[in-house]
Amino acid sequence: MKFGKEFAAQMVQEWQEAYMDYRKLKSILKDILRFKQQNKEPLTMATTTTTTTKGALNRRASLYRAFSGLTNRYKPVSAMKNNEDEVILVSAVQEGGVEGDYQTMFLMSGEEGGEFELLFFRRLDDEFNKVLRFYKKKVEEVILEADELSKQMNALIALRIKVDNPVVKGTDMVNLADKGFSSNSSSLSHSHPINGGKQGRTHMDVIQETEMSNEEEMKEIDNRHFRPAPLDVLNHVKINVELETPIATLRSVIKSSKSDLSFSKQELRTAKEKITQAFVEFYRKLRLLKSYCFLNQLAFSKIMKKYDKITLRNASKAYLQMVDKSYLGSSDEVSKLMGRVEDTYVKHFANGNRRKGLKTLRPQAKKERHRITFLYGFFSGCSIALIVAIIVSIHARNLLKSQGRDQYMVNIFPLYSLFGYIVLHMLMYAGNVFFWKRYRVNFSFIFGFKQGTELGYREVLLLSSGLSLLALAGVISHLDMEMDPRTKSFRTLTELIPLFLLIVVLSVTFCPFNIIYRSSQFFLIRCVFHCVCAPLYKVTLPDFFLADQLTSQVQAFRSLEFYICYYGWGNFEERSNTCEESEVYKVLYIVVAIIPYWFRFVQCLRRLVEEKDTAHGLNGLKYFSTITAVAIRTIYSHQKQKTKTWLVLAAATSGIATMASTYWDIVIDWGLLNRNSSNPWLRDKLVVPHKGVYYAAMVLNCVLRLAWTQQVLGIQTVPFLHKTALVAVVASLEIIRRGIWNFFRLENEHLNNVGKYRAFKSVPLPFYYEYNADKSI
């Protein structure tokens, strides 16, 4: 793999604009190479230099040094031993006595084609200064965050001592120093006023773990280097009551979200969990920052070697010396912080087990397993074979023209169609994951998946193909048992096959045991629960993203309602039901369709109250208009004698909801239709290189949004297609539209993160210092 591709693949995608623009610099080098080839310059290194060139070079260098010495504006960083070989002079601009940006003077600009090389070094300086400023800014941020984490550790250690030894006071805590609750004196003396308002040192100078075989030596080191946290810290601390449960949300309406410490073990356990999570996320930030530093240094090294190779000069040595001496190459704050975080985490959260602690701090990347590819290929092949077998069976027995066709389509087809909707949605999601990875959309960070637990497209295909195989096996067995004279006596068992399938699917989905991707199961269950209790939970992107998926599965919810009606009150043994005649069923038919939109509506209200952003209120109105349209449309479809009044109401409300939803999809969710964009009617930044994909997606979204016209206007596109089959086709089109929407929605979210350099999630910290308003990192 070429370095350019490897460089792009290893970037922190949200920071990609802060990296050195390797492609742009490489394109300038190609221009230099093209110019030299056109002018037929020799391809071998010149061994001699003319006297005129030597003189010009020496004059330029001496003139530069004279002026730099007089003005004291430049501070030379590097110089070659042999003046005759000097190509560049790199210096740092002094601004107010502080070292600022770096500038490179190209000493061969008078040569033919020198303007191209001069441009190259200007762009190179711009890129280096950009990288340097960003790195300095991020290092300053992590140092501040390290101070905040140290304060949190102070409070946690003091709380732990207080909870486990509530009688201990004052200096008696010294006896607890060798129990693992203490911290380095340099890390526990912080900027908050303790003991008369004195301020101590900052930074994360925390416990340095020492592995020794002699216990007495270990205790001696602990007594010499560690001391317990002063309990006075607890006088300045309140605990943050995060609104993570419905009860906590209801309580917050009455009182503040910050309360005094009660010194309970539950409080200690919750604080420890949050700080553990904060340490893991902070360490991840340090690792990525270190990777950012290393990759950029490597990129500057590569581009300078390319320059030397193309121009046959020796400029890389001087420039790379400057890079090594700069803050980017000489700073070791990040490495020191990583070591201190490791030692602190191992001592306080891993019981001194370094291997266990580092395993948590450095989760391994998920390995691709060949058996997954084999299994989903096997299941897919079996599913295709079953589809062919079903088509052949239907054609051979002429089932489309049989007397029981209508009975089967009304009673059995809606039962099996539920699995079809789920499989289709999973296939669309697998496609989303594939293209998100291909175009480097960091979906795992956006969704908040724990590193190494996110499902790739192969795993999703495995689940979808397995479910399709199970459902198709049920369909063909149902047909065979019904047609085979030997199994006609098992009619009740035959009719129960769809119910058995549903029970199996629900059992596997909500199984608490570690059978199939337990972490993903729990993540899904948690998001579903948050959707159900939407107004009582803080709304996160996974929650409202899942609720949006559910709005495209309205027909699946109605199929679940039909399951209950058919097996609960219908005569399934005779394959008949009276669901359509029940007024209760009709009302629930509307309610079930409204529920997913209601989830989104209350989520928008919750975000409106919390964030005070009117956009969420407008989004809520959009979903409310959809609720109205769905209700009126369903009432109109159930009328035996359809009136023009209901027709007009259904068409008007559906039209308004469609226009609002389409506008929101394209303009707000996708960020497109920007008139002033550099890409006409799209947006400035695009992940997919082919612009036609965006135009096609917008047109397709508009067309598929109009699928409701079939229900309102009663359009029968295919004469021989049964009504229930047509409903399934329309529902499938909506699922396909949602799959398309998913890709561009997350692409836009990813680009927003890139624009704000947002590569880490905010972790709520448990303790709140009354004089410190910063509560999370």
Short mmCIF file of all heavy atoms in Angstrom, two decimals, residues 10-54:
data_model
loop_
_atom_site.label_atom_id
_atom_site.label_comp_id
_atom_site.label_asym_id
_atom_site.label_seq_id
_atom_site.Cartn_x
_atom_site.Cartn_y
_atom_site.Cartn_z
N GLN A 10 -5.06 5.68 8.46
CA GLN A 10 -4.73 5.69 9.88
C GLN A 10 -5.05 7.03 10.55
O GLN A 10 -4.82 7.18 11.75
CB GLN A 10 -3.25 5.37 10.07
CG GLN A 10 -2.88 3.97 9.65
CD GLN A 10 -1.44 3.62 9.96
OE1 GLN A 10 -0.79 4.31 10.73
NE2 GLN A 10 -0.94 2.56 9.36
N MET A 11 -5.60 7.96 9.82
CA MET A 11 -5.97 9.25 10.41
C MET A 11 -7.10 9.09 11.42
O MET A 11 -7.92 8.19 11.32
CB MET A 11 -6.44 10.23 9.33
CG MET A 11 -5.38 10.81 8.46
SD MET A 11 -6.13 11.96 7.27
CE MET A 11 -4.71 12.48 6.37
N VAL A 12 -7.13 9.99 12.40
CA VAL A 12 -8.34 10.20 13.18
C VAL A 12 -9.28 10.99 12.29
O VAL A 12 -9.01 12.17 11.99
CB VAL A 12 -8.04 10.97 14.49
CG1 VAL A 12 -9.32 11.18 15.29
CG2 VAL A 12 -6.99 10.24 15.32
N GLN A 13 -10.33 10.35 11.81
CA GLN A 13 -11.12 10.94 10.74
C GLN A 13 -11.70 12.30 11.09
O GLN A 13 -11.83 13.18 10.24
CB GLN A 13 -12.25 9.98 10.33
CG GLN A 13 -11.75 8.70 9.69
CD GLN A 13 -10.87 8.97 8.48
OE1 GLN A 13 -11.19 9.78 7.63
NE2 GLN A 13 -9.73 8.29 8.42
N GLU A 14 -12.04 12.49 12.36
CA GLU A 14 -12.58 13.79 12.77
C GLU A 14 -11.52 14.89 12.78
O GLU A 14 -11.85 16.07 12.84
CB GLU A 14 -13.21 13.68 14.17
CG GLU A 14 -14.50 12.92 14.22
CD GLU A 14 -14.31 11.41 14.12
OE1 GLU A 14 -13.15 10.95 14.23
OE2 GLU A 14 -15.30 10.70 13.93
N TRP A 15 -10.25 14.50 12.71
CA TRP A 15 -9.16 15.47 12.68
C TRP A 15 -8.52 15.56 11.30
O TRP A 15 -7.43 16.14 11.16
CB TRP A 15 -8.06 15.08 13.69
CG TRP A 15 -8.45 15.19 15.12
CD1 TRP A 15 -9.59 15.74 15.62
CD2 TRP A 15 -7.68 14.74 16.24
NE1 TRP A 15 -9.59 15.65 16.99
CE2 TRP A 15 -8.44 15.05 17.40
CE3 TRP A 15 -6.45 14.11 16.39
CZ2 TRP A 15 -7.99 14.74 18.68
CZ3 TRP A 15 -6.00 13.81 17.67
CH2 TRP A 15 -6.76 14.12 18.80
N GLN A 16 -9.12 15.01 10.30
CA GLN A 16 -8.44 14.89 9.01
C GLN A 16 -8.00 16.23 8.44
O GLN A 16 -6.96 16.31 7.77
CB GLN A 16 -9.35 14.17 8.01
CG GLN A 16 -10.70 14.80 7.79
CD GLN A 16 -11.56 13.97 6.85
OE1 GLN A 16 -11.10 13.58 5.79
NE2 GLN A 16 -12.79 13.71 7.23
N GLU A 17 -8.73 17.30 8.73
CA GLU A 17 -8.33 18.61 8.22
C GLU A 17 -7.13 19.17 8.97
O GLU A 17 -6.49 20.11 8.49
CB GLU A 17 -9.50 19.58 8.32
CG GLU A 17 -10.66 19.23 7.39
CD GLU A 17 -11.74 20.28 7.42
OE1 GLU A 17 -11.62 21.23 8.22
OE2 GLU A 17 -12.71 20.15 6.65
N ALA A 18 -6.83 18.62 10.14
CA ALA A 18 -5.68 19.10 10.91
C ALA A 18 -4.40 18.36 10.56
O ALA A 18 -3.33 18.74 11.03
CB ALA A 18 -5.97 18.96 12.41
N TYR A 19 -4.49 17.31 9.78
CA TYR A 19 -3.30 16.58 9.36
C TYR A 19 -2.60 17.31 8.22
O TYR A 19 -3.18 18.15 7.54
CB TYR A 19 -3.66 15.17 8.90
CG TYR A 19 -3.91 14.19 10.02
CD1 TYR A 19 -5.14 14.14 10.66
CD2 TYR A 19 -2.93 13.31 10.43
CE1 TYR A 19 -5.38 13.24 11.69
CE2 TYR A 19 -3.15 12.39 11.45
CZ TYR A 19 -4.38 12.37 12.07
OH TYR A 19 -4.61 11.47 13.09
N MET A 20 -1.35 16.96 8.02
CA MET A 20 -0.62 17.49 6.88
C MET A 20 -1.29 17.04 5.59
O MET A 20 -1.63 15.86 5.44
CB MET A 20 0.83 17.00 6.91
CG MET A 20 1.70 17.65 5.84
SD MET A 20 2.06 16.54 4.51
CE MET A 20 3.59 15.84 5.09
N ASP A 21 -1.52 17.99 4.68
CA ASP A 21 -2.17 17.67 3.41
C ASP A 21 -1.14 17.04 2.48
O ASP A 21 -0.54 17.70 1.64
CB ASP A 21 -2.77 18.94 2.79
CG ASP A 21 -3.77 18.62 1.70
OD1 ASP A 21 -3.71 17.49 1.17
OD2 ASP A 21 -4.59 19.49 1.36
N TYR A 22 -0.97 15.77 2.63
CA TYR A 22 0.05 15.04 1.88
C TYR A 22 -0.25 15.06 0.38
O TYR A 22 0.65 15.19 -0.45
CB TYR A 22 0.14 13.61 2.40
CG TYR A 22 1.25 12.78 1.81
CD1 TYR A 22 2.54 12.87 2.31
CD2 TYR A 22 1.00 11.90 0.77
CE1 TYR A 22 3.57 12.11 1.77
CE2 TYR A 22 2.02 11.13 0.22
CZ TYR A 22 3.30 11.25 0.73
OH TYR A 22 4.32 10.50 0.20
N ARG A 23 -1.52 14.94 0.05
CA ARG A 23 -1.90 14.88 -1.36
C ARG A 23 -1.57 16.20 -2.08
O ARG A 23 -1.09 16.19 -3.21
CB ARG A 23 -3.38 14.56 -1.48
CG ARG A 23 -3.87 14.42 -2.90
CD ARG A 23 -5.35 14.07 -2.93
NE ARG A 23 -5.60 12.79 -2.29
CZ ARG A 23 -6.81 12.27 -2.17
NH1 ARG A 23 -7.87 12.91 -2.63
NH2 ARG A 23 -6.97 11.09 -1.58
N LYS A 24 -1.84 17.33 -1.41
CA LYS A 24 -1.58 18.62 -2.04
C LYS A 24 -0.08 18.83 -2.26
O LYS A 24 0.34 19.27 -3.34
CB LYS A 24 -2.16 19.74 -1.17
CG LYS A 24 -1.95 21.12 -1.77
CD LYS A 24 -2.70 22.19 -0.98
CE LYS A 24 -2.08 22.41 0.37
NZ LYS A 24 -2.72 23.54 1.10
N LEU A 25 0.71 18.50 -1.27
CA LEU A 25 2.16 18.66 -1.41
C LEU A 25 2.71 17.71 -2.48
O LEU A 25 3.61 18.07 -3.24
CB LEU A 25 2.85 18.40 -0.08
CG LEU A 25 2.56 19.44 1.03
CD1 LEU A 25 3.18 19.00 2.34
CD2 LEU A 25 3.11 20.80 0.63
N LYS A 26 2.14 16.53 -2.54
CA LYS A 26 2.59 15.58 -3.55
C LYS A 26 2.24 16.07 -4.95
O LYS A 26 3.01 15.86 -5.90
CB LYS A 26 1.94 14.22 -3.29
CG LYS A 26 2.52 13.09 -4.12
CD LYS A 26 1.90 11.76 -3.71
CE LYS A 26 2.44 10.64 -4.59
NZ LYS A 26 1.83 9.33 -4.23
N SER A 27 1.11 16.74 -5.09
CA SER A 27 0.73 17.27 -6.40
C SER A 27 1.70 18.37 -6.84
O SER A 27 2.01 18.50 -8.04
CB SER A 27 -0.70 17.81 -6.36
OG SER A 27 -0.79 18.93 -5.50
N ILE A 28 2.19 19.18 -5.89
CA ILE A 28 3.18 20.21 -6.24
C ILE A 28 4.48 19.55 -6.69
O ILE A 28 5.13 20.00 -7.65
CB ILE A 28 3.42 21.14 -5.04
CG1 ILE A 28 2.12 21.88 -4.66
CG2 ILE A 28 4.51 22.15 -5.36
CD1 ILE A 28 2.25 22.75 -3.42
N LEU A 29 4.88 18.49 -6.01
CA LEU A 29 6.08 17.77 -6.42
C LEU A 29 5.92 17.16 -7.82
O LEU A 29 6.88 17.11 -8.60
CB LEU A 29 6.40 16.66 -5.41
CG LEU A 29 6.90 17.12 -4.04
CD1 LEU A 29 7.19 15.92 -3.15
CD2 LEU A 29 8.14 17.99 -4.17
N LYS A 30 4.71 16.73 -8.15
CA LYS A 30 4.48 16.23 -9.50
C LYS A 30 4.63 17.34 -10.54
O LYS A 30 5.14 17.10 -11.64
CB LYS A 30 3.08 15.61 -9.59
CG LYS A 30 2.96 14.28 -8.87
CD LYS A 30 1.55 13.69 -9.02
CE LYS A 30 1.44 12.34 -8.31
NZ LYS A 30 0.07 11.79 -8.44
N ASP A 31 4.20 18.56 -10.18
CA ASP A 31 4.40 19.69 -11.09
C ASP A 31 5.89 19.97 -11.29
O ASP A 31 6.34 20.28 -12.41
CB ASP A 31 3.71 20.94 -10.52
CG ASP A 31 2.20 20.80 -10.52
OD1 ASP A 31 1.67 19.98 -11.32
OD2 ASP A 31 1.53 21.50 -9.73
N ILE A 32 6.67 19.86 -10.21
CA ILE A 32 8.12 20.08 -10.31
C ILE A 32 8.74 19.02 -11.21
O ILE A 32 9.56 19.32 -12.09
CB ILE A 32 8.76 20.05 -8.91
CG1 ILE A 32 8.25 21.22 -8.06
CG2 ILE A 32 10.27 20.09 -9.01
CD1 ILE A 32 8.71 21.18 -6.61
N LEU A 33 8.32 17.76 -11.01
CA LEU A 33 8.86 16.67 -11.82
C LEU A 33 8.47 16.85 -13.28
O LEU A 33 9.31 16.64 -14.19
CB LEU A 33 8.33 15.34 -11.29
CG LEU A 33 8.76 14.09 -12.06
CD1 LEU A 33 10.28 13.94 -12.03
CD2 LEU A 33 8.08 12.85 -11.49
N ARG A 34 7.24 17.27 -13.53
CA ARG A 34 6.78 17.47 -14.90
C ARG A 34 7.58 18.59 -15.57
O ARG A 34 7.96 18.49 -16.75
CB ARG A 34 5.29 17.79 -14.91
CG ARG A 34 4.63 17.73 -16.27
CD ARG A 34 3.14 18.03 -16.18
NE ARG A 34 2.46 17.09 -15.30
CZ ARG A 34 1.95 17.41 -14.11
NH1 ARG A 34 2.03 18.66 -13.68
NH2 ARG A 34 1.35 16.51 -13.38
N PHE A 35 7.86 19.65 -14.84
CA PHE A 35 8.65 20.77 -15.39
C PHE A 35 10.07 20.31 -15.72
O PHE A 35 10.61 20.65 -16.78
CB PHE A 35 8.68 21.92 -14.38
CG PHE A 35 9.53 23.08 -14.81
CD1 PHE A 35 9.03 24.04 -15.68
CD2 PHE A 35 10.85 23.19 -14.36
CE1 PHE A 35 9.82 25.10 -16.08
CE2 PHE A 35 11.64 24.25 -14.76
CZ PHE A 35 11.12 25.21 -15.62
N LYS A 36 10.66 19.54 -14.84
CA LYS A 36 12.02 19.07 -15.09
C LYS A 36 12.09 18.13 -16.28
O LYS A 36 13.04 18.15 -17.06
CB LYS A 36 12.57 18.39 -13.83
CG LYS A 36 12.87 19.35 -12.69
CD LYS A 36 13.48 18.66 -11.50
CE LYS A 36 13.85 19.66 -10.42
NZ LYS A 36 14.94 20.56 -10.84
N GLN A 37 11.06 17.28 -16.42
CA GLN A 37 11.04 16.37 -17.56
C GLN A 37 10.86 17.12 -18.88
O GLN A 37 11.45 16.77 -19.89
CB GLN A 37 9.94 15.34 -17.38
CG GLN A 37 10.22 14.33 -16.28
CD GLN A 37 9.04 13.40 -16.02
OE1 GLN A 37 7.92 13.66 -16.47
NE2 GLN A 37 9.29 12.31 -15.31
N GLN A 38 10.03 18.16 -18.84
CA GLN A 38 9.82 18.95 -20.05
C GLN A 38 11.09 19.70 -20.46
O GLN A 38 11.34 19.92 -21.65
CB GLN A 38 8.68 19.94 -19.83
CG GLN A 38 7.31 19.28 -19.75
CD GLN A 38 6.22 20.28 -19.41
OE1 GLN A 38 6.50 21.44 -19.12
NE2 GLN A 38 4.97 19.82 -19.43
N ASN A 39 11.87 20.11 -19.47
CA ASN A 39 13.11 20.84 -19.76
C ASN A 39 14.31 19.92 -19.86
O ASN A 39 15.45 20.39 -19.91
CB ASN A 39 13.36 21.89 -18.66
CG ASN A 39 12.38 23.04 -18.75
OD1 ASN A 39 12.61 24.03 -19.44
ND2 ASN A 39 11.25 22.91 -18.05
N LYS A 40 14.04 18.62 -19.79
CA LYS A 40 15.07 17.58 -20.01
C LYS A 40 16.26 17.78 -19.09
O LYS A 40 17.41 17.81 -19.52
CB LYS A 40 15.54 17.59 -21.47
CG LYS A 40 14.42 17.27 -22.45
CD LYS A 40 14.94 17.29 -23.87
CE LYS A 40 13.80 16.97 -24.85
NZ LYS A 40 14.27 16.99 -26.25
N GLU A 41 15.99 17.94 -17.80
CA GLU A 41 17.09 18.03 -16.85
C GLU A 41 17.66 16.64 -16.61
O GLU A 41 16.96 15.64 -16.72
CB GLU A 41 16.59 18.62 -15.53
CG GLU A 41 16.28 20.09 -15.64
CD GLU A 41 16.20 20.74 -14.28
OE1 GLU A 41 16.36 20.01 -13.29
OE2 GLU A 41 16.01 21.94 -14.21
N PRO A 42 18.90 16.52 -16.30
CA PRO A 42 19.52 15.21 -16.07
C PRO A 42 18.87 14.52 -14.88
O PRO A 42 18.43 15.16 -13.93
CB PRO A 42 20.98 15.54 -15.80
CG PRO A 42 20.98 16.97 -15.36
CD PRO A 42 19.86 17.63 -16.09
N LEU A 43 18.82 13.17 -14.93
CA LEU A 43 18.18 12.38 -13.90
C LEU A 43 19.17 11.90 -12.84
O LEU A 43 18.80 11.22 -11.90
CB LEU A 43 17.48 11.17 -14.52
CG LEU A 43 16.35 11.50 -15.49
CD1 LEU A 43 15.78 10.22 -16.08
CD2 LEU A 43 15.27 12.31 -14.81
N THR A 44 20.46 12.25 -13.01
CA THR A 44 21.46 11.82 -12.03
C THR A 44 21.90 13.01 -11.22
O THR A 44 21.81 14.16 -11.67
CB THR A 44 22.66 11.20 -12.73
OG1 THR A 44 23.21 12.14 -13.64
CG2 THR A 44 22.25 9.95 -13.50
N MET A 45 22.37 12.73 -10.02
CA MET A 45 22.81 13.80 -9.12
C MET A 45 24.05 14.47 -9.68
O MET A 45 25.03 13.81 -10.04
CB MET A 45 23.12 13.21 -7.73
CG MET A 45 23.62 14.22 -6.73
SD MET A 45 22.30 15.31 -6.16
CE MET A 45 21.48 14.22 -5.03
N ALA A 46 24.01 15.79 -9.77
CA ALA A 46 25.16 16.54 -10.25
C ALA A 46 26.26 16.49 -9.21
O ALA A 46 26.03 16.72 -8.04
CB ALA A 46 24.77 17.97 -10.55
N THR A 47 27.46 16.19 -9.67
CA THR A 47 28.58 16.05 -8.73
C THR A 47 29.37 17.34 -8.56
O THR A 47 30.12 17.49 -7.60
CB THR A 47 29.51 14.93 -9.19
OG1 THR A 47 29.96 15.22 -10.51
CG2 THR A 47 28.79 13.58 -9.19
N THR A 48 29.18 18.26 -9.52
CA THR A 48 29.91 19.53 -9.42
C THR A 48 28.95 20.68 -9.55
O THR A 48 27.87 20.54 -10.09
CB THR A 48 30.96 19.63 -10.53
OG1 THR A 48 30.31 19.54 -11.79
CG2 THR A 48 31.99 18.50 -10.41
N THR A 49 29.32 21.82 -9.07
CA THR A 49 28.48 23.02 -9.13
C THR A 49 29.32 24.14 -9.72
O THR A 49 30.51 24.28 -9.38
CB THR A 49 28.02 23.43 -7.72
OG1 THR A 49 27.42 22.31 -7.11
CG2 THR A 49 27.02 24.57 -7.80
N THR A 50 28.73 24.92 -10.56
CA THR A 50 29.48 25.99 -11.22
C THR A 50 29.86 27.06 -10.22
O THR A 50 29.23 27.24 -9.17
CB THR A 50 28.63 26.62 -12.34
OG1 THR A 50 27.47 27.16 -11.76
CG2 THR A 50 28.24 25.59 -13.38
N THR A 51 30.88 27.82 -10.55
CA THR A 51 31.35 28.87 -9.66
C THR A 51 30.31 29.95 -9.46
O THR A 51 30.16 30.50 -8.37
CB THR A 51 32.64 29.49 -10.23
OG1 THR A 51 33.58 28.44 -10.50
CG2 THR A 51 33.25 30.49 -9.27
N THR A 52 29.55 30.23 -10.54
CA THR A 52 28.51 31.26 -10.44
C THR A 52 27.44 30.86 -9.43
O THR A 52 27.01 31.67 -8.61
CB THR A 52 27.87 31.49 -11.81
OG1 THR A 52 28.90 31.81 -12.75
CG2 THR A 52 26.86 32.61 -11.75
N THR A 53 27.03 29.58 -9.51
CA THR A 53 26.01 29.10 -8.57
C THR A 53 26.52 29.14 -7.15
O THR A 53 25.81 29.52 -6.22
CB THR A 53 25.59 27.67 -8.94
OG1 THR A 53 25.18 27.64 -10.30
CG2 THR A 53 24.47 27.18 -8.05
N LYS A 54 27.82 28.75 -6.97
CA LYS A 54 28.39 28.79 -5.63
C LYS A 54 28.38 30.21 -5.08
O LYS A 54 28.00 30.46 -3.93
CB LYS A 54 29.82 28.29 -5.67
CG LYS A 54 29.95 26.78 -5.87
CD LYS A 54 31.42 26.39 -5.82
CE LYS A 54 31.61 24.90 -6.05
NZ LYS A 54 33.03 24.53 -6.01
#
